[in-house]
Each structure stands twice: as structure tokens, then as C-alpha cells.
Amino acid sequence: MALLRDSRAWTRRQFLVRFASSLAVAGLAKPHLSRAADRPQISGGIQSGDVSDGSAVIWARADRPARMQVEYSTVESFKTIIAQASRDALPDADFTAKLQLDDLPPGQDIFYRVRFDDIASGLAGESRTGHFRTAPAAGKSISFVWSGDVAGQGWGIDISRGGYRSYRTMLDNHPDFFIHSGDHIYADCTIPSEQKLPNGETWRNVVTEEKSEVAHSLAQFRGNYKYNHLDEHFRAFHAEVPMFAQWDDHEVTNDWSPAGSFDETGYEDDGTPRLVARARRAFFDFMPIRDIGVRQARVYRKIAYGPLLDVFMIDMRSFRDNSWNKGDDHRGWILGAEQLAWLKRELAASRATWKVIAADLPIGLVSLDAVALGNGAPDRREHEIADLLSSIKRAGIRNIVWLTADMHYTAAHYYDPNKAQFQDFEPFWEFVSGPLHAGSWGPGELDDTFGPVAMYQNGCSAAQGDNLAPCFGLQFFGRVDIDGASGVMTVTLKDVDDRDLWSVDIVPQPQVRPAVVAQHS
């Protein structure tokens, strides 16, 4: 729990007493303590996350053991300080620190200032400022972006080509928050110094020791996250826009499953592969994600963002069955019984106009790693999705939209029971958008189990081939706008150059009818 402190200014006498005490502790014979090199520094950027109407998580990393100090205000000048909070950044967490700010005013711009103090001497380091907006208490308009897939396939930071340009483009959209759909890192992909491009040019990466090998150690997993903070656009974006973070496979290794993915170090006493445990620890060290009660290190959660929106962050990795999505027994699962029950319960309890299910994988694109197996009645993991969709229909829950990334192209899928093998559900939309900065792929194959129709898709052509480098422009994110007056949700698929590729308006429905949709390009 963050330690709140009185923000009142010191009197001159209090300042002199504190100053004299500091000198006594530090000693006049140690003038080197005043050097900049001896002051704790912020290593990388600062981040906020999991913002609701009254709380937010703040994250930063120091370059040594230090105490993170956070003060926050509703004015950019910090003329008036709401409160202060602190948290130690220690070696056990690789000098990262995060704390939760509570009792924040709803619908308000919050400016926060972060610095690290030396724990022994109290000597203060540099300060950096960040910003976020709390969820509105009334029906105000909302705008947010989503995407995923960063630094994949060896395409790292090429400064001469603008680095992580998508983050600059998303920042120019001034979103209220950002949903990261997973693959923040590619722990199983190295970043080489150079890669050849199909046009004969050379892609030149910023390189680090920790990204020179596939990650196995905790230090290597952490080094993957630190690599992203080397990019200026990444740092600028996260200082201004709060993130709702989830994970997918490349935070651990390609297509990992809970017990089926391991290395030579074996398993923990509870059966968790040590590889997965190290990856999970690094993820929570570096993500501005809140702890959820006794079940710490849980990725799935609901984030309430005012009366218009609830976001359901789901985890399609940690509780899945431990094989490829195939088998003669026709049994499989991807959410697990506990998470599925939670999602049904929370969706039924939601009173928000819109319910966004933020998924780390699509449900209608054929993949042995995901859900869809090909045309036909539900099988294996599809049974779990069928159960969820039919329960949503029975409960009369309306206005559900699925958002994801993972596929390295962008698409809009409309799920129509009239075109489906399994028909016990109400129509809904699923939108796919990514990568942010990784190789691009061509559109995948849809199956007819739940009747998805590709209303739009954009990715590599057959002539371009797969794993097209980020410099060729096929990098994507999505933007969602919810109008505060009408409640209409507008979903726009966009590219790295901020072009609107395709858009749809979805009218919220209070009754058991398919959503009325007005499309525009």
C-alpha cells in the first residue's frame, strides 16, 4: 500500500532542521554525494496503467536501490499537490517499483511527477512527469486505442528508420488509454545487429546483450522489457497514455502452454515450469498492472471505465489445456473453468453500455494455437467459446465487442449466427489489429463454426510474402470512440501513418436484436 504524505509546504524552521539532519547523516567530508552520478536516476521511461474512475497504477525503474517518490496534481504546473506516495525499488524486482494511487477525482486529468531518492542519504534524483485521465463519472465521450506485437521477428529499434513509429502515431491520436493485447516482447526472438530487406537495403538494430540470446534467465526476460524503453516514442507514449496490459505467448516462448513449455531447469514444486515462472515474474515487474487480492500475478481482470464502458482483460494462456488444439478425445479449453465462470459472472453483472472483451487471441481464425479448428460444429476449445456465447445470449447481455491482435495484420470480423454451424448466440464484432512493430503477415483463414465474415482485412500480399519488415508500412492499430451523448461506438482500423483504413459505427442495443450497423470507409 502506498504511503500517503502531507503535501503542505515546510516552514523555514522545518527546512533548516531537516537540512541540518541530512548533513549529519551524509557528513560534510563526503562532497561526492552531490555529484549527479551519485543521485538515483530513472532508468527507461515511466508508465501508468489500469486507470479507473478513482485509481491508477504508476510504474518506474531506478538504476540502483532507491525510493520512488510520486506526487500528483490536477494541474500541470503542480501548483496544488493532491498527495504524495512512495515505494521502494529494490534489487529483488530489478529496481522496478509500482504503486496504486487511490481516491482520485473521476473524469479528471491527473499529472504525476516521479523521482527516486537514495534510501541511505535521501539525495534526490531527476524528476519526470507523466499524465493520465481518470474514467468519467458521467456519460462523457471516450477514446482509446489497442494493438500488440512489439519487436518481433528480429525487427528491433532502427533509429534511422524512426524506431517504434506506431507509438508516436498512437500518441498523436490523444487516446484516454491503450489496450496492449499481448506480445509486449518476443522473448524467443533475438535482436541481431542487422537484417537484410527484400529491396536490398539493410535494417540496423540497436542491440543489447540481453536481447542477443533467446530468454531463459530472469535477467534475460527482464532485458526484453528494458529494450523497449530504449525507444523514444515508446517512452513518450507511456508517459502520456495509461496502458491496460495483457500477455500472450511471446512473453514466454512461442505458443506456450502452462505445463507443456519448459526448459532444462524443469518445474517448480507446484508443477509450474520455471521458464514460465521467470517470464511471469518479469512481466509483472515491468507492467503497470494492479495486484488483484490474494490472487496476485493474475492477468485476467475487469477495468471499469465509467458508465459507458467495462473492459474485460482475459488470459488465454495461463489456464489452457497443455496440447495443441487437436486430439481424438475432443476435449480442450483455453480460458479454464475458473476464468470462464468469472467472465460469465462479470459480464452479467456489468451495467456499462459497452462490454469490451480484450482477448490475446482471435476466436474465428484457424490456428492450432488458438480456438478455431476449421469448418464444422464446435470441437475441443470451441466448446468453451460456444458455452460463453450461449450464456451471453441467455442472460440478455448486449453490446459486447471483442478486440485482439496476435495475427500481424488488421481485420474486422462480424459473427453472424445465420452463417454459423453453432447458432445459439447473438451477432457480435471482433476486431484484429497489429503488429505495432514486428513482421507483418497475410490474412488468415476463417472457419464457419461461429459464422465470422471478414468485413475488412489488410496485410501482406502473396507477392510481398510473410514477415514483411515494419518499414514497409503494414503496421496497424485500432481506435475506438464512444460518443457520450448517443453511446454509439465507432471502431476505426488505422496504420502506422495514421491513415483511416476502415471504420464502422455500432449502435448500442437495449433489446434482444442484432446491432444496427452503419458502415463507412
Side-chain angles (χ1 to χ4, degrees), residues 296-336:
Q296 296 187 1
R298 193 183 89 180
V299 176
Y300 74 84
R301 63 205 187 278
K302 185 189 87 169
I303 302 173
Y305 204 82
L308 285 176
L309 177 64
D310 281 344
V311 180
F312 300 86
M313 310 290 292
I314 64 173
D315 181 355
M316 302 171 85
R317 283 286 158 194
S318 300
F319 310 102
R320 59 168 52 199
D321 57 270
N322 294 315
S323 64
W324 287 102
N325 193 23
K326 61 182 180 180
D328 295 335
D329 60 358
H330 304 290
R331 295 181 65 251
W333 54 92
I334 196 163
L335 298 174

Side-chain angles (χ1 to χ4, degrees), residues 147-149 153 155 165-166 203 407-410 433-443 456-477 494-497 499 501:
S147 189
D149 317 305
Q153 294 72 53
W155 306 113
R165 291 200 301 124
S166 292
W203 180 282
M407 302 306 295
H408 295 228
Y409 69 93
T410 191
S433 210
L436 275 175
H437 189 88
S440 300
W441 262 255
Y456 176 82
Q457 53 189 14
N458 192 342
C460 295
S461 66
Q464 289 171 315
D466 287 339
N467 194 20
L468 194 67
C471 58
F472 293 99
L474 296 180
Q475 306 288 291
F476 306 106
F477 67 97
K494 301 170 75 74
D495 68 10
V496 63
D497 294 313
R499 287 188 288 255
L501 305 174

Side-chain angles (χ1 to χ4, degrees), residues 245-451:
Q246 64 189 151
W247 71 349
D248 194 28
D249 57 335
H250 293 287
E251 282 82 5
V252 182
T253 190
N254 187 47
D255 297 342
W256 74 274
S257 61
S261 299
F262 56 92
D263 61 9
E264 67 279 0
T265 61
Y267 296 83
E268 303 282 3
D269 291 340
D270 64 357
T272 301
R274 291 194 174 97
L275 179 73
V276 175
R278 290 190 291 269
R280 184 183 293 270
R281 180 170 180 180
F283 176 82
F284 276 88
D285 282 344
F286 280 82
M287 291 294 109
I289 182 173
R290 70 183 67 209
D291 291 330
I292 305 173
V294 296
R295 180 67 69 86
Q296 296 187 1
R298 193 183 89 180
V299 176
Y300 74 84
R301 63 205 187 278
K302 185 189 87 169
I303 302 173
Y305 204 82
L308 285 176
L309 177 64
D310 281 344
V311 180
F312 300 86
M313 310 290 292
I314 64 173
D315 181 355
M316 302 171 85
R317 283 286 158 194
S318 300
F319 310 102
R320 59 168 52 199
D321 57 270
N322 294 315
S323 64
W324 287 102
N325 193 23
K326 61 182 180 180
D328 295 335
D329 60 358
H330 304 290
R331 295 181 65 251
W333 54 92
I334 196 163
L335 298 174
E338 181 179 327
Q339 182 179 195
L340 179 60
W342 166 86
L343 184 56
K344 290 179 182 179
R345 182 174 64 251
E346 292 296 331
L347 285 170
S350 173
R351 294 297 175 263
T353 302
W354 290 100
K355 297 90 175 166
V356 165
I357 298 177
D360 41 302
L361 291 165
I363 58 176
L365 281 159
V366 177
S367 170
L368 288 177
D369 181 52
V371 176
L373 289 168
N375 293 340
D379 191 11
R380 294 189 59 80
R381 293 172 183 165
E382 292 171 328
H383 287 299
E384 203 174 48
I385 300 302
D387 181 16
L388 173 63
L389 296 180
S390 62
S391 72
I392 288 170
K393 178 181 178 179
R394 291 194 304 271
I397 305 166
R398 301 294 170 260
N399 308 319
I400 292 177
V401 171
W402 292 67
L403 302 180
T404 190
D406 180 69
M407 302 306 295
H408 295 228
Y409 69 93
T410 191
H413 302 147
Y414 187 65
Y415 287 76
D416 184 350
N418 295 316
K419 301 179 184 300
Q421 294 291 321
F422 175 85
Q423 297 184 324
D424 187 21
F425 68 94
E426 295 293 332
F428 65 94
W429 286 93
E430 175 188 65
F431 299 98
V432 182
S433 210
L436 275 175
H437 189 88
S440 300
W441 262 255
E445 176 190 358
L446 291 168
D447 77 358
D448 68 358
T449 305
F450 303 115

